[in-house]
Amino acid sequence: MVVRRSAVVASVVCGVLAVAGCSTAEEGNAQPSSTTDMAAATAALWDPCSEIPESTLTGLGLDVSSKRSGILGVEEPGWRTCRWEDAEYPPNYGVGAYTTIHTIDELRAKPTNVDVEDVTIAGQVGLQYRQTHNDADEECSFAFPTSYGLAQIDLLNISTKSKSVPPCERLKPIAEAIIPLFPK
């Protein structure tokens, strides 16, 4: 169990950093310029941990008692993050929802984000991708532009049993229920 949790935590950290590592300082970019600006920008982000109803999560087969905010309980500047595991014990997969000040263009430019393609889910156009440190049968992410950056939902298959269902196939019905809740 400890090994599995460590793998999930490492994937969450890498998932958040998949976009965060690409910030640019080009003219016209609305990125915060100071720690105070970053704190204000982070505080203004939509919080998936408090904004996604528990009834929605349980209806999707997610265990609301497994909710985790931040990375190892620490909030990451410029991000609002939340993760849940499926309700089976032991869990087979985890789902994360994120909002950030980072942009779709930053996500697209990150070389460790692969299999990037356009996707439309719940009427919203965004990107589907995975990260190079996860195999295609392990991870799928959907990201959508917002007025402040992007909102993202991902799924990580964490057991051998769960890998029998492709992660994007498993994530799509979950995303169809959660993406309409994301701010535009």
Side-chain angles (χ1 to χ4, degrees), residues 30-44 78 101:
Q31 300 295 318
S33 59
S34 71
T35 303
T36 303
D37 291 345
M38 180 64 78
T42 302
I101 60 171

Side-chain angles (χ1 to χ4, degrees), residues 18-119:
V19 176
C22 349
S23 183
T24 62
E26 62 190 61
E27 188 174 322
N29 190 345
Q31 300 295 318
S33 59
S34 71
T35 303
T36 303
D37 291 345
M38 180 64 78
T42 302
L45 291 171
W46 184 83
D47 183 4
C49 278
S50 63
E51 297 294 331
I52 299 174
E54 286 187 358
S55 59
T56 299
L57 297 167
T58 56
L60 294 168
L62 298 174
D63 177 7
V64 294
S65 70
S66 69
K67 175 174 72 173
R68 293 183 312 279
S69 176
I71 300 172
L72 300 174
V74 177
E75 298 302 325
E76 180 70 24
W79 289 86
R80 289 287 183 124
T81 67
C82 203
R83 288 202 73 75
W84 305 267
E85 294 175 342
D86 72 295
E88 276 194 45
Y89 186 82
N92 291 300
Y93 61 90
V95 173
Y98 315 91
T99 55
T100 182
I101 60 171
H102 298 282
T103 68
I104 289 286
D105 289 340
E106 289 176 86
L107 183 147
R108 190 183 293 274
K110 182 79 174 170
T112 55
N113 292 337
V114 296
D115 300 335
V116 178
E117 59 185 70
D118 293 333
V119 66

